[in-house]
Amino acid sequence: MSAKFDQIKAREEQLLCKSYSRYPLAIVKGEMSRLYDIDGKEYIDLLAGIAVAALGHCNPEICATLAEQSHKLWHVSNLFYQEEQLELAERLLSTTHHQKVFFCNSGAEANEAAIKLARRYCSKVQKEDKYEIITLEGCFHGRTLGTLAATGRETLSDGFHPLPLGFKQVESQNLEALEAAITKNTAAVLVEVVQGEGGVIPLAKDYLKGLENICRKHKILFICDEVQAGFCRTGTFWAFQQHDLKPDIITTAKALANGLAMGCMMATNEVAQGFEPGSHATTFGGGALVSKVASKTVEIMLRDNLAERSCKVGANLKNRLLDLQKKYPHKIKEVRGLGLMLGIELKSDCPKVWEKLLQRGFICSLSHNVTLRLLPALNIEEKDLMAFVEALEAIFKEN
Ligand SMILES: *Cc1c(COP(=O)(O)O)cnc(C)c1O
């Protein structure tokens, strides 16, 4: 590591809460799928800020929209009507069967909104004592107290108890366990169609269909967390659309504004009745500047058929990785995922391989120390993806 990097690291240790364990890189500049570190080294970015910069870093079209809006209006609060919110809402609703939108500022907030809406819909519209939210093992829904309770992973909530009540977790891909957990107090089931932080685990179609049917049978709400898998990532605009599901509520964030903080929850007209003026609010949600940027982001995703591209390019990449697995069965345990959301689980030494990739100029994420997770920009050039596969093979050849 360079002296410049060491200096940054030392400053951070003094200044910031130690809540992150960072990769040994200080990034100073981004250009589509390229990142540059403080020493001027270039990287191919296969992580895109954890599925956030889905149209690339400093995308020129997004930059132009941001610059233009920055001279018009930034933020006036939700005390006022703003066309930017409506333009974005129309675009978002054109991608799904939902009819109502609530804007917020992150994935966790979108899930908080969904949990609150589900509970309030049950208590105020259905007038029933239903509040419990069921989630699946291996899930991740955020780091607020409520979403930590939903996530239910003790390693994440250690030291933060007591957590809010009314959450229950069941084994994933097990319909009997799910049905057995439902009581007269169950309000909703909340799931990721592809578990992201869990290590890129796609849930089976039959399981998801069965889960939806159980929700309908017991008259409980079905919520999909699309925060990571949404926005064309898996090969359809929303991941639930891979399986013909009709969730009552979906939550989104990460790629929504290509790098600005924004989240959103979408619901059917029926369920959206759960909120009335004053029920739920946030100061920053849907500000004009971020809404305009998000609107441009969604416009480009639709205009450039990025869902289709993600499906095609992702399938090519997955095939290349499966070939690699055939060639190196002692190295690769499993290749899984949909579209451009892929996980490569290694049999051993994953952190070492990840570090060697970094040294060779490839950024991906290291998930649970066993899986390389790829979440590249949706418009990444295929030659960059192939270069990654070649680098991985070169590393396997080294020992
Ligand atoms: C990242 C993520 C969240 C949390 O989003 P934040 O913006 O970090 O609050 C929630 N759900 C899923 C599936 C995620 O991947």
Side-chain angles (χ1 to χ4, degrees), residues 280-340:
H280 190 46
T282 159
T283 300
F284 286 110
L289 185 74
V290 70
S291 289
K292 194 75 190 179
V293 169
S295 184
K296 190 73 191 176
T297 303
V298 176
E299 181 191 338
I300 293 173
M301 286 173 174
L302 292 169
R303 180 196 71 194
D304 295 349
N305 293 320
L306 290 181
E308 213 173 293
R309 183 179 196 274
S310 191
C311 180
K312 216 175 71 195
V313 172
N316 289 345
L317 175 59
K318 194 175 181 185
N319 283 334
R320 286 290 301 268
L321 291 167
L322 288 168
D323 287 344
L324 204 60
Q325 184 189 20
K326 268 187 218 130
K327 223 163 143 185
Y328 299 91
H330 54 296
K331 300 282 188 190
I332 298 181
K333 184 172 172 197
E334 190 178 32
V335 177
R336 52 178 186 258
L338 294 170
L340 284 171

Side-chain angles (χ1 to χ4, degrees), residues 106-108 111 140-142 192 197 225 227-228 254:
S106 69
N111 284 327
F140 180 81
H141 299 297
E192 293 164 89
E197 300 305 306
D225 179 340
V227 171
Q228 188 164 147
K254 288 191 165 84

Side-chain angles (χ1 to χ4, degrees), residues 192-207:
E192 293 164 89
V193 171
V194 182
Q195 294 185 329
E197 300 305 306
V200 194
I201 318 278
L203 302 188
K205 191 186 207 77
D206 289 350
Y207 172 71

Side-chain angles (χ1 to χ4, degrees), residues 118-132 183-187 218-220:
R119 285 186 175 176
R120 206 169 187 283
Y121 169 76
C122 291
S123 70
K124 301 291 179 181
V125 180
Q126 291 191 322
K127 302 195 187 307
E128 290 190 68
D129 187 23
K130 301 201 293 197
Y131 51 82
E132 204 164 66
T183 69
K184 63 181 188 351
N185 302 118
T186 305
H218 293 272
K219 295 191 168 38
I220 57 187

Side-chain angles (χ1 to χ4, degrees), residues 356-369:
K356 285 183 177 180
L357 282 165
L358 209 57
Q359 283 161 4
R360 286 171 180 262
F362 293 91
I363 294 175
C364 61
S365 99
L366 175 59
S367 182
H368 301 281
N369 278 332

Side-chain angles (χ1 to χ4, degrees), residues 90-150:
E90 278 166 356
R91 283 236 161 86
L92 285 169
L93 291 172
S94 78
T95 65
T96 179
H97 62 277
H98 299 94
Q99 293 103 12
K100 289 285 189 293
V101 178
F102 177 85
F103 292 118
C104 54
N105 315 288
S106 69
E109 277 186 35
N111 284 327
E112 288 281 344
I115 293 162
K116 287 179 76 175
L117 178 63
R119 285 186 175 176
R120 206 169 187 283
Y121 169 76
C122 291
S123 70
K124 301 291 179 181
V125 180
Q126 291 191 322
K127 302 195 187 307
E128 290 190 68
D129 187 23
K130 301 201 293 197
Y131 51 82
E132 204 164 66
I133 311 286
I134 298 179
T135 61
L136 306 183
E137 283 174 7
C139 72
F140 180 81
H141 299 297
R143 300 273 201 157
T144 58
L145 289 170
T147 56
L148 266 183

